Amino acid sequence: MGSSEQHILVTGGAGYIGTHCSVQLLQEGYRVSMIDNFYNSVMEAVDNVKELVGPSLAKKLQLYKVDLRNIDELEKVFSLNRYDAVIHFGALKAVGESMQHPFRYFDNNLIGTINLYQVMAKHKVKKMVFSSSATVYGQPGKVPCVEDFPYIPMNPYGRTKVYCEEMGKDVQKADPEWRIIALRYFNPVGAHESGKLGEDPKGIPNNLMPYLHQVAVGRLPELNVYGHDYPTKDGTAVRDYIHVMDLADGHIAALKKLFTDEDIGFTVYNLGTGKGTSVLEMVAAFEKACGKKIPIKLCPRRPGDATAVYAATDKAQKELGWKPKYGVEEMCRDQWNWAKKNPMGYQKKA
Ligand code: UFG
């Protein structure tokens, strides 16, 4: 259990992973302050976090509508509360958008993180769990991806994740009191089992799971399967999908590591299941979960996509004592539960 004295600041707390993680934190006994600029998230998600944890734990949750780029406002939040650690999710994450608008990514993801490190240092809050991504591996020469593989980011979004990891390394080297864990997520999918929290992307989804969700509820006519000539079992690309609840648990494990391991320094862990699933396998699993046929169209490869990406999981399992509990079946079950209860996402209930 987290001590009731431990207060965690969660940036991007109203977002997809931030909400799931905040529920777990509150249920583990931590106090939580969320910071969010609501660029890609909605207040209803925060209301649902409160509803899920119940009124007494909801009292331990504070929300600040603050943009990390506004250092004065960030400073105010830190002067109001004494934090024990920060979990830093707050960032933009769309690969395509980052190629069209690189400055948007440098501004949000880099300036936001620089400000956060500076304000944390000033207030002597020197423990951070950083939201990184398997995107730093790019097109890996071999799989599974091991944490010491070289950085090969393929787009501005991926580069911001690399730079932020490097920043963390430098900050920690300059002041060894810092303890920083960067978690490299593979493909987070699924939703809270209640169906009250889930991913709700703006516009047409880029990612496979929200796209399947929208086809299944009739918002989109068919799934475009990008590439069917990859050297894989069925010709479609292979990824390591991980249930968002397992990912949230991984953050709790990382946080506990920060509080207990004084030699952690700056350390990176993959958060994945270690299992590769093809696009067609994912479609089949989703069809089984929702009981509907998902129309597909076989399309050319999407530029920049890797053939197969999945995680080496030994380091996280051994050092964090964390292991994912859910498989693709549960990921699709919970995604579908969220989809059918909220076909239009948070905003417009059917
Ligand atoms: N795919 C389709 N049709 C779609 C969407 C996706 O066939 O409509 C395929 C993709 O081509 C890919 C697989 O489904 O083979 C998974 O695609 P996603 O977009 O869901 O996920 P990616 O693996 O491309 O992206 C993820 C994260 C990014 C990260 C990237 C690289 O979402 O944040 O991994 O590691 F940058």
Coordinates of all heavy atoms in Angstrom, one line a residue, residues 93 95 133-135 157 186-187 206-209 211 223-226 237 239 241 279 302 305-306, ligand 1:
K93 N 1.0 12.6 -28.8 CA 1.5 11.2 -29.1 C 1.1 10.7 -30.5 O 1.1 9.5 -30.7 CB 1.0 10.2 -28.1 CG -0.5 10.2 -27.9 CD -1.0 9.0 -27.3 CE -2.5 8.9 -27.4 NZ -3.1 7.6 -27.2
V95 N 1.9 10.1 -34.2 CA 3.1 10.0 -35.1 C 2.9 10.9 -36.4 O 3.7 11.8 -36.7 CB 3.4 8.6 -35.6 CG1 4.4 8.5 -36.6 CG2 3.7 7.7 -34.3
S133 N 8.3 5.3 -24.8 CA 7.6 4.5 -25.8 C 8.5 3.6 -26.5 O 9.7 3.9 -26.7 CB 6.9 5.5 -26.8 OG 6.5 4.8 -27.9
A134 N 8.0 2.5 -27.0 CA 8.7 1.6 -27.8 C 9.1 2.3 -29.1 O 9.9 1.7 -29.9 CB 7.9 0.3 -28.1
T135 N 8.5 3.4 -29.4 CA 8.9 4.2 -30.6 C 10.4 4.5 -30.6 O 10.9 4.7 -31.7 CB 8.0 5.4 -30.7 OG1 8.0 5.9 -32.0 CG2 8.4 6.5 -29.7
Y157 N 7.8 12.8 -33.1 CA 7.2 12.3 -31.8 C 8.2 11.4 -31.1 O 8.5 11.6 -30.0 CB 5.9 11.5 -32.1 CG 5.5 10.6 -31.0 CD1 5.1 11.1 -29.8 CD2 5.6 9.2 -31.1 CE1 4.8 10.3 -28.7 CE2 5.3 8.4 -30.1 CZ 4.9 8.9 -28.9 OH 4.6 8.0 -27.9
F186 N 4.7 -0.5 -25.0 CA 4.5 -1.1 -26.4 C 3.2 -0.6 -26.8 O 3.0 0.6 -26.9 CB 4.8 -2.6 -26.4 CG 6.3 -2.7 -26.4 CD1 7.1 -2.4 -25.3 CD2 7.0 -3.1 -27.6 CE1 8.5 -2.4 -25.4 CE2 8.4 -3.2 -27.6 CZ 9.1 -2.8 -26.6
N187 N 2.2 -1.4 -27.2 CA 0.9 -0.8 -27.7 C -0.2 -0.9 -26.7 O -0.8 -2.0 -26.5 CB 0.5 -1.6 -29.0 CG 1.5 -1.3 -30.1 OD1 2.7 -1.5 -30.0 ND2 0.9 -0.8 -31.2
N206 N -5.8 6.9 -35.4 CA -4.6 6.4 -36.1 C -4.3 5.0 -35.7 O -3.7 4.3 -36.5 CB -3.4 7.3 -35.7 CG -3.5 8.7 -36.0 OD1 -3.8 9.1 -37.2 ND2 -3.5 9.6 -35.0
N207 N -4.7 4.7 -34.5 CA -4.2 3.4 -34.0 C -5.2 2.3 -34.2 O -6.4 2.5 -34.3 CB -3.9 3.5 -32.5 CG -2.8 4.5 -32.2 OD1 -3.0 5.5 -31.5 ND2 -1.6 4.3 -32.8
L208 N -4.7 1.1 -34.2 CA -5.6 -0.1 -34.6 C -6.8 -0.3 -33.7 O -7.9 -0.4 -34.2 CB -4.7 -1.3 -34.6 CG -5.4 -2.6 -34.9 CD1 -6.0 -2.6 -36.4 CD2 -4.5 -3.8 -34.8
M209 N -6.6 -0.3 -32.4 CA -7.7 -0.7 -31.5 C -8.8 0.4 -31.5 O -10.0 -0.1 -31.7 CB -7.1 -0.9 -30.1 CG -8.0 -1.6 -29.2 SD -8.5 -3.2 -29.9 CE -8.2 -4.3 -28.5
Y211 N -9.6 2.2 -33.9 CA -10.2 2.1 -35.2 C -11.2 0.9 -35.2 O -12.3 1.0 -35.7 CB -9.1 2.0 -36.3 CG -9.6 2.5 -37.6 CD1 -9.1 3.7 -38.1 CD2 -10.5 1.8 -38.4 CE1 -9.5 4.2 -39.3 CE2 -10.9 2.3 -39.6 CZ -10.4 3.5 -40.1 OH -10.8 4.0 -41.3
L223 N -12.2 -1.6 -41.7 CA -10.8 -1.4 -41.2 C -9.8 -1.5 -42.4 O -9.9 -2.5 -43.2 CB -10.4 -2.4 -40.2 CG -8.9 -2.4 -39.8 CD1 -8.7 -1.3 -38.8 CD2 -8.5 -3.7 -39.2
N224 N -9.0 -0.5 -42.6 CA -7.9 -0.6 -43.5 C -6.8 -1.4 -42.9 O -6.2 -0.9 -41.9 CB -7.4 0.8 -44.0 CG -8.5 1.6 -44.6 OD1 -9.2 1.1 -45.5 ND2 -8.6 2.9 -44.2
V225 N -6.4 -2.5 -43.5 CA -5.3 -3.3 -42.9 C -4.1 -2.9 -43.7 O -4.0 -3.1 -44.9 CB -5.6 -4.8 -43.1 CG1 -4.3 -5.6 -42.7 CG2 -6.7 -5.2 -42.2
Y226 N -3.2 -2.2 -43.0 CA -2.0 -1.6 -43.7 C -0.9 -2.6 -43.9 O -0.1 -2.8 -43.0 CB -1.5 -0.4 -43.0 CG -2.5 0.7 -42.9 CD1 -2.9 1.4 -41.8 CD2 -3.1 1.2 -44.1 CE1 -3.8 2.4 -41.7 CE2 -4.1 2.2 -44.1 CZ -4.4 2.8 -42.9 OH -5.3 3.8 -42.9
A237 N 1.5 -6.9 -40.0 CA 2.5 -6.5 -39.0 C 2.2 -7.0 -37.6 O 1.0 -7.1 -37.2 CB 2.7 -5.0 -39.1
R239 N 2.7 -6.6 -33.4 CA 2.9 -5.7 -32.3 C 2.7 -6.4 -31.0 O 2.1 -7.4 -30.9 CB 2.0 -4.5 -32.4 CG 2.2 -3.6 -33.6 CD 3.5 -2.8 -33.5 NE 3.6 -2.0 -34.7 CZ 4.2 -2.3 -35.8 NH1 4.6 -3.6 -36.0 NH2 4.3 -1.5 -36.8
Y241 N 0.7 -5.9 -27.9 CA -0.4 -5.1 -27.3 C -0.4 -5.4 -25.8 O -0.2 -6.6 -25.3 CB -1.7 -5.5 -27.9 CG -1.7 -5.2 -29.4 CD1 -1.3 -6.1 -30.3 CD2 -2.0 -3.9 -29.8 CE1 -1.3 -5.8 -31.7 CE2 -2.0 -3.6 -31.2 CZ -1.6 -4.5 -32.1 OH -1.6 -4.2 -33.4
V279 N -2.0 -8.0 -37.1 CA -3.2 -7.2 -37.2 C -4.4 -8.1 -37.4 O -5.4 -8.0 -36.8 CB -3.0 -6.2 -38.4 CG1 -4.4 -5.5 -38.7 CG2 -1.9 -5.3 -38.2
R302 N 1.7 1.0 -44.4 CA 1.7 2.4 -44.0 C 3.2 2.8 -43.8 O 4.0 2.1 -43.2 CB 1.0 2.5 -42.6 CG 0.7 3.9 -42.1 CD -0.2 3.8 -40.9 NE 0.4 3.2 -39.7 CZ -0.2 3.2 -38.5 NH1 -1.4 3.7 -38.3 NH2 0.4 2.6 -37.5
D305 N 6.0 2.0 -40.9 CA 5.7 0.9 -40.0 C 6.8 -0.2 -40.0 O 7.3 -0.5 -41.1 CB 4.3 0.3 -40.4 CG 3.2 1.0 -39.8 OD1 3.4 1.9 -39.0 OD2 2.0 0.6 -40.1
A306 N 7.0 -0.7 -38.8 CA 8.0 -1.8 -38.7 C 7.2 -3.1 -38.9 O 6.0 -3.2 -38.8 CB 8.6 -1.8 -37.4
Ligands
UFG1 N1 -3.0 -0.7 -38.4 C1 -3.9 -1.0 -39.5 N2 -5.0 -0.2 -39.7 C2 -5.2 0.9 -38.9 C3 -4.4 1.2 -37.9 C4 -3.3 0.4 -37.7 O1 -3.7 -2.0 -40.2 O2 -6.2 1.6 -39.2 C5 -1.9 -1.5 -38.2 C6 -0.6 -0.7 -38.4 O3 -0.1 -0.7 -39.7 C7 0.4 -1.5 -37.4 C8 -0.6 -2.1 -36.4 O4 -1.9 -2.0 -36.9 O5 0.9 -2.6 -38.1 C9 -0.5 -1.2 -35.1 O6 -0.7 0.1 -35.4 P1 -1.0 1.3 -34.3 O7 -1.1 2.6 -35.1 O8 -2.1 0.9 -33.4 O9 0.4 1.2 -33.5 P2 1.9 1.4 -33.9 O10 2.6 0.2 -33.5 O11 2.0 1.9 -35.2 O12 2.2 2.7 -33.0 C10 2.5 2.5 -31.7 C11 2.1 3.7 -30.8 C12 2.9 4.9 -31.2 C13 4.4 4.6 -31.3 C14 4.6 3.4 -32.3 C15 6.0 3.0 -32.5 O13 0.8 4.0 -31.0 O14 2.8 5.9 -30.2 O15 3.9 2.3 -31.7 O16 6.5 2.2 -31.5 F1 5.1 5.6 -31.8

